[in-house]
Amino acid sequence: MLVVWIAGAIGFGWGWIVVAVWIASGALSLVPSAETLFARYLYRLREPTLVEQQRLAPIWHRMLARADVAPGRYTLWIQESDEANATPTPGRVVAVTRWALYTLPPAHLESVLAHELGHHLGGRWWLNMLSFWYSIPARCGLIVVRAIAQLMRRVPAFGCIIGGFLLMAYVGLIIAVFALGHGYIWPFLFITPFIAPPVLAWLNRWQVRQADQKAAALGYGSTLVEVLYGWQMQHQQPGGQGESRRTQVMSNTPSLVERVRVLERTSGIPPNAWG
């Protein structure tokens, strides 16, 4: 949608060339070095040190053998985060958080690695790379929206003026599109920013649940539940019941209770077994 807007601002005589070039540029994401660039500069990951490699290597290879995955198919990176799970990455890059690496015992760390690998199992790495590449304009647009929202909170007077002006301009564009009768595609494109965020958030939560199911299917369900509860106790995080409905709808990760229930169902373990 954003690329089409840019094409319209340029003029559709030359603008469609912009759209065509953008679609063709997806081939760049399939270059092997693109995964490294995305991991290092977009996801802010780093390669493990020699000491970290010594700790990760036996656990990583044991988990890959259990999942029947070739050792050289994926590369392992570190995310500087205190979360239990790392941000899902496209392609063949698998990330693990610093908290999991330095806090968890080997058995628990292996279950976390199984979850991270679960984001990649059963999919096509090139399809993940293409979907990530084509989502970059939307990610940039979301960054701009969040920056305006932060400005409105920090400097209410100035921020509200800018936010109000942009909102009025946006509503005016939607009304103009409907009034001029440009069909149904253009109105849908303008309404998309209000529809896409909750849909994408739901998709991210679904991907986390799928990764949990795949980890549990490999036999890591019970240890992954222990990891989640341990992370919750260490960081004093709520289980999800106290969150507002809006927070739950817009969250990219399921609540702790929801994840535990998924793991219990997949592992075939009744809830009362956790004591």
Side-chain angles (χ1 to χ4, degrees), residues 51-225:
V51 174
E52 292 169 341
Q53 289 178 5
Q54 291 176 354
R55 172 172 169 77
L56 285 169
I59 302 173
W60 173 247
H61 289 294
R62 183 167 62 247
M63 188 272 299
L64 290 178
R66 192 167 180 174
D68 194 22
V69 175
R73 185 174 179 182
Y74 299 99
T75 58
L76 194 57
W77 293 64
I78 308 298
Q79 181 180 3
E80 297 291 344
S81 171
D82 290 330
E83 299 288 329
N85 295 120
T87 304
T89 52
R92 292 166 290 192
V93 171
V94 178
V96 62
T97 64
R98 179 191 56 202
W99 179 86
L101 176 62
Y102 288 104
T103 306
L104 299 178
H108 287 183
L109 179 57
E110 186 174 343
S111 68
V112 170
L113 291 174
H115 167 88
E116 306 301 350
L117 182 65
H119 284 286
H120 300 266
L121 294 178
R124 299 291 184 269
W125 70 268
W126 56 269
L127 186 59
N128 291 333
M129 291 297 294
L130 285 176
S131 63
F132 173 77
W133 179 264
Y134 291 131
S135 71
I136 289 178
R139 294 172 185 270
C140 294
L142 185 59
I143 291 174
V144 173
V145 171
R146 287 177 175 173
I148 294 175
Q150 291 180 357
L151 179 63
M152 294 176 66
R153 287 196 298 266
R154 295 179 180 177
V155 189
F158 183 68
C160 288
I161 292 174
I162 296 178
F165 173 78
L166 293 176
L167 181 61
M168 291 177 61
Y170 196 81
V171 173
L173 288 173
I174 296 177
I175 294 174
V177 169
F178 276 105
L180 295 176
H182 287 294
Y184 297 99
I185 296 179
W186 279 101
F188 178 77
L189 289 177
F190 279 98
I191 297 174
T192 298
F194 300 97
I195 302 175
V199 173
L200 294 177
W202 174 86
L203 180 60
N204 289 332
R205 294 195 300 272
W206 177 80
Q207 290 175 340
V208 173
R209 291 193 294 268
Q210 289 292 107
D212 283 337
Q213 290 179 350
K214 292 173 183 176
L218 293 174
Y220 296 102
S222 59
T223 51
L224 192 53
V225 168

